[in-house]
Amino acid sequence: MSSIKERLAALGLTLPRAAAPVANYVPFVRTGNLVVISGQVCFGADGAIAAEHKGKVGGGVSAEAGKAAARLCALNVLAQLEAAVGDLDRAVVQCVRLGGFINAAPGFSAVAGVMNGASDLMVELLGDRGRHARSTVGVAELPLDAAVEVEAMFEVR
């Protein structure tokens, strides 16, 4: 079995630096064998949100760009998880849950497909350990005008 870093490289991806909180919260909490990751927005490798990932999905942001934004959120979630536990290959038992928040234009209801960007990446990188429970909701606004935000919970060793 290949490592998570090898799978990332094969996809042409790298984990970004774990983002600092933008308000009064911590990026993750570890309690026992669970790590809860605070909501991560779609920061790119440069630490900024690209113009195509700002605004409302189904409005100025296409569903495809929203799905790409969700994928970036998942990378940021994994960066926070790595900061919490160190070696992802050794520590991750299971992705237990993802929660997705889609900055949706009025009438845009295809939020589940957008969130698949995050869910698909978890399975691509973690295999069966990446299969998870999930909630996805459309919201009126997100911090920094991000198109997508994703939170997570993992079982770890």
Side-chain angles (χ1 to χ4, degrees):
M1 175 168 66
S2 64
S3 74
I4 294 167
K5 298 277 184 175
E6 289 170 339
R7 290 179 187 154
L8 280 164
L11 294 169
L13 302 171
T14 58
L15 287 185
R17 176 183 294 205
V22 297
N24 186 17
Y25 62 90
V26 294
F28 59 83
V29 171
R30 182 172 183 166
T31 181
N33 65 340
L34 293 177
V35 176
V36 178
I37 309 291
S38 294
Q40 301 296 303
V41 296
C42 43
F43 291 130
D46 62 357
I49 300 174
E52 63 267 21
H53 299 148
K54 280 191 169 195
K56 299 207 175 294
V57 181
V61 178
S62 70
E64 295 78 24
K67 189 172 181 178
R71 191 171 174 93
L72 286 173
C73 292
L75 283 174
N76 286 297
V77 161
L78 290 171
Q80 293 294 352
L81 183 60
E82 185 178 61
V85 301
D87 183 353
L88 294 175
D89 287 305
R90 185 194 63 74
V92 175
V93 174
Q94 185 71 44
C95 178
V96 175
R97 178 187 183 283
L98 293 181
F101 305 92
I102 313 305
N103 186 357
F108 181 79
S109 62
V111 295
V114 172
M115 185 58 183
N116 282 344
S119 293
D120 293 349
L121 186 64
M122 285 299 164
V123 175
E124 285 179 86
L125 296 176
L126 301 175
D128 283 340
R129 297 181 299 159
R131 299 196 184 283
H132 52 272
R134 183 177 99 175
S135 296
T136 305
V137 296
V139 298
E141 300 293 334
L142 284 173
L144 308 173
D145 201 26
V148 180
E149 181 174 347
V150 175
E151 64 183 14
M153 180 184 302
F154 291 85
E155 180 184 1
V156 296
R157 291 184 183 86

